[in-house]
Amino acid sequence: MSDARDEVLRGLTEGIPYLRFLGIRFDRAGDELTAVLPFAPQLIGNPVLPALHGGVTAAFLEVTAIVGLVWSGLAEGTAVSALPKTIDLTVDYLRAGQPRDAYARARINRSGRRYASVHVEAWQDDPGRLFAQGTGHFLMP
Amino acid sequence: MRAMAEVPAIARQFIEALPHAAALGLRLEEIGDGRAVIALPYDTRLIGDPATGVIHGGAVSALMDTASGASVLCHPAGPLSTATLDLRIDYMRPATPGQTIRARALCHHMTRSVAFVSVVATDDDEARPVAMANGAFTVDRPR
């Protein structure tokens, strides 16, 4: 079971070009999944500060939510037929993203047959000090 | 649409030199008076769904965020810098693979410390937007 889940996870991170473009990977500890965005100079939006691009932060939250939904479906034995589609996403920028690695975790607040509501929190050094959080609604495949 | 040559070179260089904007291949097409139009040419590196070739929503968000920030910076109030406070994005439909996605942002109100922006993203079928967003941005004013 867990091997099959790891296989699906690897398929997602290697098979979706945009995840490779941003360099996002997923670290797994038991059932808990953490998205990792390793720092790269091309992720910078404001070169003066410097700070991560706000669009990168939004994308990181969205990717974490989508993969989190697939992951939780796998835990319940649901096969991946297609990816959930984003309906909307609200991003709350709490502080500037530093030029360092970033991490995020998704919490699925509601997952029905058609719609899901997911909250994502992102941090850099201290998990208790978020730099962004977001809530999105997704259409399930 | 205004010709590229009419976009002030310094504005175009500023936006297109932002590292992530350059990585995405963004092109500034119009800027001025609290409005900005930025294009994201189709790029297979940005695909979010390999089964369809549709660009990932995250890239569209990054495009809309960049256009929004540019519209704040060119507002007549002349802010020195800006950062996104919040962005609320609706995804109406997948962008058609192979087509350029274009974001049109309008900074419609600016207070001493906050700018409010609306932005619409379209592909070739401009009557049916791909995504829309509203955002609030920080404003650093000259003293």
Side-chain angles (χ1 to χ4, degrees):
Chain A
M1 174 63 191
S2 61
D3 283 355
R5 287 168 72 185
D6 287 332
E7 198 59 41
V8 171
L9 201 56
R10 190 156 50 241
L12 286 174
T13 43
E14 291 172 6
I16 302 177
Y18 187 66
L19 269 64
R20 289 203 307 268
F21 174 76
L22 290 179
I24 295 174
R25 63 165 208 270
F26 289 85
D27 283 353
R28 180 193 161 186
D31 282 346
E32 188 181 70
L33 201 60
T34 305
V36 184
L37 176 68
F39 175 71
Q42 66 149 4
L43 303 180
I44 292 291
N46 181 331
V48 179
L49 290 177
L52 294 181
H53 193 293
V56 169
T57 302
F60 184 45
L61 297 182
E62 186 178 339
V63 165
T64 303
I66 290 172
V67 174
L69 278 170
V70 173
W71 179 251
S72 94
L74 292 172
E76 289 158 13
T78 310
V80 188
S81 55
L83 293 171
K85 288 189 165 56
T86 313
I87 299 168
D88 63 58
L89 179 70
T90 299
V91 183
D92 183 9
Y93 295 87
L94 301 170
R95 46 177 62 82
Q98 301 299 313
R100 291 198 286 278
D101 296 357
Y103 307 89
R105 269 185 212 140
R107 185 183 71 232
I108 295 156
N109 284 330
R110 151 98 182 138
S111 182
R113 264 187 312 161
R114 294 178 71 193
Y115 310 108
S117 175
V118 183
H119 184 78
V120 184
E121 296 183 339
W123 69 94
Q124 294 194 291
D125 300 316
D126 176 1
R129 204 176 131 86
L130 304 179
F131 78 99
Q133 60 182 351
T135 300
H137 295 92
F138 298 84
L139 192 61
M140 301 307 287
Chain B
M1 186 179 306
R2 270 203 299 180
M4 286 293 289
E6 290 180 48
V7 175
I10 189 152
R12 195 167 69 236
Q13 282 159 9
F14 177 77
I15 300 292
E16 294 176 2
L18 302 179
H20 193 63
L24 288 168
L26 300 188
R27 290 196 319 249
L28 181 65
E29 293 188 338
E30 290 180 45
I31 190 153
D33 202 21
R35 291 172 190 270
V37 181
I38 297 184
L40 170 67
Y42 186 76
D43 186 332
T44 54
R45 295 175 307 155
L46 307 178
I47 289 172
D49 187 347
T52 58
V54 170
I55 295 295
H56 197 282
V60 180
S61 302
L63 166 68
M64 293 196 294
D65 183 62
T66 307
S68 299
S71 76
V72 173
L73 289 176
C74 74
H75 189 275
L80 296 173
S81 71
T82 185
T84 319
L85 267 177
D86 101 306
L87 197 62
R88 304 175 295 279
I89 308 154
D90 288 330
Y91 294 101
M92 269 81 76
R93 65 176 178 92
T96 304
Q99 298 183 0
T100 291
I101 305 171
R102 197 164 269 111
R104 292 178 170 81
L106 168 65
C107 175
H108 48 77
H109 186 71
M110 189 179 288
T111 71
R112 286 173 57 82
S113 45
V114 184
F116 299 90
V117 178
S118 294
V119 54
V120 180
T122 54
D123 56 18
D124 290 356
D125 184 359
E126 299 200 343
R128 294 194 310 132
V130 165
M132 298 174 79
N134 287 289
F137 288 73
T138 66
V139 170
D140 271 350
R141 298 266 202 149
R143 285 174 189 271

